[in-house]
Amino acid sequence: MFESTVTFLDWLGIVVFSLTGALVASRKQMDVVGFVLLGTVTGIGGGTLRDLLLDLHPVLWIEQPLYVVVCALVSTIAFFTAHLVHSRYQLILWLDAAGLALFAATGAERAIGVGAGPVVAVIMGMITACFGGIIRDTLSQERSIIFSYEIYVTAALAAAITLVCANALGIDRQVGVSAAFGVGFALRGGAIMFGWSLPRYRSRQGRAHENAVC
Amino acid sequence: MFESTVTFLDWLGIVVFSLTGALVASRKQMDVVGFVLLGTVTGIGGGTLRDLLLDLHPVLWIEQPLYVVVCALVSTIAFFTAHLVHSRYQLILWLDAAGLALFAATGAERAIGVGAGPVVAVIMGMITACFGGIIRDTLSQERSIIFSYEIYVTAALAAAITLVCANALGIDRQVGVSAAFGVGFALRGGAIMFGWSLPRYRSRQGRAHENAVC
Amino acid sequence: MFESTVTFLDWLGIVVFSLTGALVASRKQMDVVGFVLLGTVTGIGGGTLRDLLLDLHPVLWIEQPLYVVVCALVSTIAFFTAHLVHSRYQLILWLDAAGLALFAATGAERAIGVGAGPVVAVIMGMITACFGGIIRDTLSQERSIIFSYEIYVTAALAAAITLVCANALGIDRQVGVSAAFGVGFALRGGAIMFGWSLPRYRSRQGRAHENAVC
């Protein structure tokens, strides 16, 4: 039951990330091939970079091409229905938060599974969760999520760190993944609902701490 | 005869892609090292990404450094003669179309050759043909070809799909590569000559289909 | 003594490159996670790309996660003290020059060590030295160093070529690395102090050679 929930969320994450890629494509008024390109890169980009860095071959979508097919399908549907997608922007933000939290947890877990230490596992969780979006923004020359005022990469990091800690403490996998997901989703959800953010660097006064929101 | 034609076109593709990189460098008024950097990345970027993803080592230009030498040479010549290159812009567009169609076909074929399925092979054809240009545009912060109004990525996809279908139908390699090249070149050529494009997403009215040209 | 000097400079290079990433993050008014992300990518990006291309696994920071820890630490300190960092901009330029020259030399040497030929070794030196900065500029959507008016990539290339030549001539490793470092550092230093640059391509007149400074 837990396994099938994780698998379900895994596919959900891919679908949602593809949708965010398609949304950017719609903003750029691209054609259907552009939607598919950007949607697919966003959906599988993070996992691909993780697999390349960890030397895990075949990379996820070469082993399981259905991932690409689903990304392409979702992006194509989005091309014909993007007005619906836009009106559901709030929903997509939340699904994206779920995908972010889950990919950070499962990405870190996959790294641990192939023998990576805690530091590398945390990074791999962050890469899996965030680099699809980072590649999307770079390719489409949009303002990158790494500049996002609200918490984003931080939520992925927190989820990955939670997973790694739970694993180090010998906590049951089911509990660990759930806790990591919960931490990441709560942080990102707070950012969506309440505008949570970390204090930013201010150049003039050197008073970086006054503007903290969370 | 066919083999040597393909080999000739392969080198021609590398040369032409390098030239497009050098042209961007000239627009940015870079120095000769900038020309070489951008020309080389454009010439071998797509094939390099394909080899990394398929775990084919050594990657093409590490196995055959002559590729890099030729890219560097072409870019250097372009630095000293770019006014000629500019006045031959139309010719370069057509050579680029030939390189695009050929790389899509041979990229897909190389993927099939190492056991990739049809979906992965199509993607590898597209990556080989397009990602040199995509990396060029990203590094040089130019408007990316993925936003190109006219058919570009689509032509590469069509060529790769043709190659994969021909292979699946057991059609002779020579015929398959030629057909794939023909499809890709015809589509891209139509885009150059007649401005062929796919309908683009329009945000306001949700009437994405009216503006179809092809 | 020579070994420990190289190791010291190697760590110094990572620290300095991280600092340049953190400086860009401060210009973009990012939060501390943004500092760490950009600082770390800059510090280890070039070496990571080299290892991926050469199929050297585990890549440097997966084998030695301390690299990442140091990058993250340096970036975090920079977040809280960036006003100091800014006032030391001149110092950082010079440390960056040292890191550039050293990474070009050691990157080329690492490639030779795994059997790469001279062309590939030169490219790997350049990639190790420059691609951290190139990835930093691409991710942060800053004007890329590849457009830098003053000599930058050229200095890395010169250092890598010197190393490869010294190696081919059978010159002692200690002398070769020192010479390569010296050449790269002198060229980049000249660019910092005297504005050395290569002639750039001028579109109108086709007179690319008149504006040579060096």
Side-chain angles (χ1 to χ4, degrees):
Chain A
M1 190 346 289
F2 177 72
E3 271 320 309
S4 58
T5 306
V6 166
T7 304
F8 173 75
L9 283 173
D10 196 37
W11 281 99
L12 186 67
I14 297 246
V15 166
V16 168
F17 281 165
S18 292
L19 274 180
T20 67
L23 273 180
V24 171
S26 77
R27 212 154 43 225
K28 297 275 176 179
Q29 310 213 335
M30 297 171 84
D31 59 29
V32 67
V33 170
F35 271 66
V36 168
L37 181 68
L38 221 46
T40 305
V41 160
T42 313
I44 59 175
T48 302
L49 183 56
R50 178 201 58 209
D51 288 353
L52 281 180
L53 289 169
L54 286 174
D55 200 25
L56 297 177
H57 288 281
V59 300
L60 73 160
W61 53 272
I62 294 181
E63 186 163 50
Q64 175 54 281
L66 199 55
Y67 282 124
V68 180
V69 174
V70 166
C71 287
L73 213 66
V74 166
S75 307
T76 305
I77 294 172
F79 177 74
F80 290 107
T81 62
H83 51 289
L84 296 178
V85 175
H86 278 287
S87 68
R88 300 226 175 350
Y89 183 65
Q90 205 62 24
L91 176 65
I92 286 173
L93 262 186
W94 282 97
L95 291 173
D96 180 71
L100 183 79
L102 183 80
F103 278 24
T106 55
E109 206 186 25
R110 181 151 196 213
I112 291 174
V114 298
V119 171
V120 171
V122 166
I123 296 170
M124 290 303 160
M126 190 275 280
I127 286 177
T128 311
C130 299
F131 266 76
I134 290 175
I135 297 171
R136 172 197 66 209
D137 296 339
T138 302
L139 284 190
S140 61
Q141 301 165 344
E142 288 269 300
R143 187 174 168 75
S144 173
I145 50 170
I146 65 171
F147 302 131
S148 137
Y149 185 75
E150 285 149 10
I151 282 176
Y152 193 95
V153 178
T154 308
L157 272 178
I161 290 171
T162 307
L163 190 285
V164 168
C165 290
N167 180 275
L169 296 171
I171 291 173
D172 180 58
R173 176 179 178 246
Q174 196 158 333
V175 178
V177 171
S178 304
F181 177 84
V183 166
F185 190 69
L187 270 177
R188 178 65 189 140
I192 295 173
M193 282 209 294
F194 310 119
W196 283 0
S197 65
L198 291 179
R200 323 200 82 178
Y201 178 75
R202 299 281 162 140
S203 50
R204 298 290 165 86
Q205 316 88 336
R207 287 174 288 167
H209 308 285
E210 282 182 18
N211 312 77
V213 175
C214 79
Chain B
M1 181 18 247
F2 178 72
E3 271 320 309
S4 58
T5 307
V6 165
T7 303
F8 173 75
L9 283 173
D10 196 36
W11 280 99
L12 185 68
I14 297 245
V15 166
V16 168
F17 281 165
S18 293
L19 274 180
T20 67
L23 272 180
V24 171
S26 77
R27 222 167 18 238
K28 297 273 175 179
Q29 310 212 332
M30 297 171 84
D31 59 28
V32 67
V33 171
F35 272 65
V36 168
L37 182 67
L38 222 45
T40 306
V41 161
T42 313
I44 60 175
T48 302
L49 183 55
R50 176 201 60 207
D51 288 353
L52 281 181
L53 289 169
L54 287 174
D55 201 25
L56 297 177
H57 289 281
V59 300
L60 72 161
W61 53 272
I62 294 181
E63 187 163 49
Q64 174 55 281
L66 199 55
Y67 282 125
V68 181
V69 173
V70 166
C71 287
L73 213 66
V74 166
S75 307
T76 304
I77 295 172
F79 177 74
F80 290 108
T81 61
H83 50 291
L84 296 179
V85 176
H86 278 287
S87 67
R88 300 225 176 351
Y89 184 63
Q90 205 63 24
L91 175 65
I92 285 174
L93 262 186
W94 283 97
L95 291 173
D96 180 71
L100 183 79
L102 184 81
F103 278 25
T106 55
E109 204 186 25
R110 181 153 194 211
I112 290 173
V114 296
V119 172
V120 171
V122 166
I123 296 170
M124 290 305 161
M126 190 275 280
I127 286 177
T128 311
C130 298
F131 265 76
I134 291 176
I135 297 171
R136 173 198 65 208
D137 296 339
T138 302
L139 285 190
S140 62
Q141 302 167 344
E142 287 269 300
R143 186 173 170 74
S144 173
I145 49 168
I146 65 171
F147 302 131
S148 135
Y149 185 75
E150 285 148 10
I151 282 178
Y152 193 94
V153 179
T154 308
L157 272 178
I161 290 172
T162 306
L163 190 286
V164 168
C165 290
N167 180 275
L169 295 171
I171 291 172
D172 180 58
R173 177 178 178 247
Q174 196 158 333
V175 178
V177 171
S178 304
F181 177 83
V183 166
F185 189 69
L187 270 176
R188 179 64 190 141
I192 295 173
M193 281 209 294
F194 310 117
W196 285 359
S197 66
L198 291 179
R200 324 201 82 181
Y201 178 75
R202 298 283 161 137
S203 49
R204 296 291 164 86
Q205 316 87 335
R207 286 176 288 168
H209 308 285
E210 283 181 18
N211 313 75
V213 174
C214 78
Chain C
M1 201 329 290
F2 177 71
E3 271 318 310
S4 59
T5 307
V6 166
T7 304
F8 172 75
L9 283 174
D10 196 35
W11 281 99
L12 186 67
I14 297 247
V15 166
V16 168
F17 281 165
S18 293
L19 274 180
T20 66
L23 272 181
V24 171
S26 78
R27 229 178 0 248
K28 297 273 176 180
Q29 309 213 333
M30 297 171 83
D31 60 29
V32 68
V33 171
F35 272 66
V36 169
L37 181 67
L38 222 45
T40 306
V41 161
T42 313
I44 61 175
T48 302
L49 183 56
R50 177 201 59 209
D51 288 352
L52 282 181
L53 288 169
L54 286 174
D55 201 25
L56 297 178
H57 289 280
V59 300
L60 72 161
W61 54 272
I62 294 182
E63 187 164 48
Q64 175 55 282
L66 199 55
Y67 283 125
V68 180
V69 173
V70 166
C71 288
L73 213 65
V74 166
S75 307
T76 304
I77 294 171
F79 177 74
F80 290 108
T81 62
H83 50 290
L84 296 179
V85 176
H86 279 288
S87 67
R88 300 222 175 353
Y89 183 65
Q90 205 62 24
L91 177 64
I92 286 174
L93 262 186
W94 283 97
L95 291 174
D96 181 71
L100 183 79
L102 183 81
F103 278 25
T106 56
E109 205 187 25
R110 183 154 194 211
I112 291 173
V114 297
V119 172
V120 171
V122 166
I123 296 171
M124 290 304 160
M126 189 275 281
I127 285 177
T128 310
C130 299
F131 265 76
I134 290 176
I135 297 172
R136 172 197 67 209
D137 296 340
T138 302
L139 285 190
S140 62
Q141 302 166 345
E142 287 269 300
R143 187 173 170 75
S144 173
I145 48 169
I146 64 171
F147 302 131
S148 136
Y149 185 75
E150 284 148 9
I151 281 177
Y152 194 95
V153 179
T154 308
L157 272 178
I161 290 171
T162 306
L163 189 286
V164 168
C165 290
N167 180 275
L169 296 170
I171 290 172
D172 181 58
R173 175 177 180 247
Q174 197 157 331
V175 179
V177 171
S178 304
F181 176 84
V183 166
F185 190 69
L187 269 177
R188 178 65 190 142
I192 295 173
M193 281 208 295
F194 311 117
W196 285 359
S197 65
L198 292 179
R200 325 201 78 175
Y201 178 75
R202 299 282 162 138
S203 48
R204 295 292 164 85
Q205 317 87 336
R207 286 174 289 167
H209 308 284
E210 284 181 18
N211 312 77
V213 175
C214 80

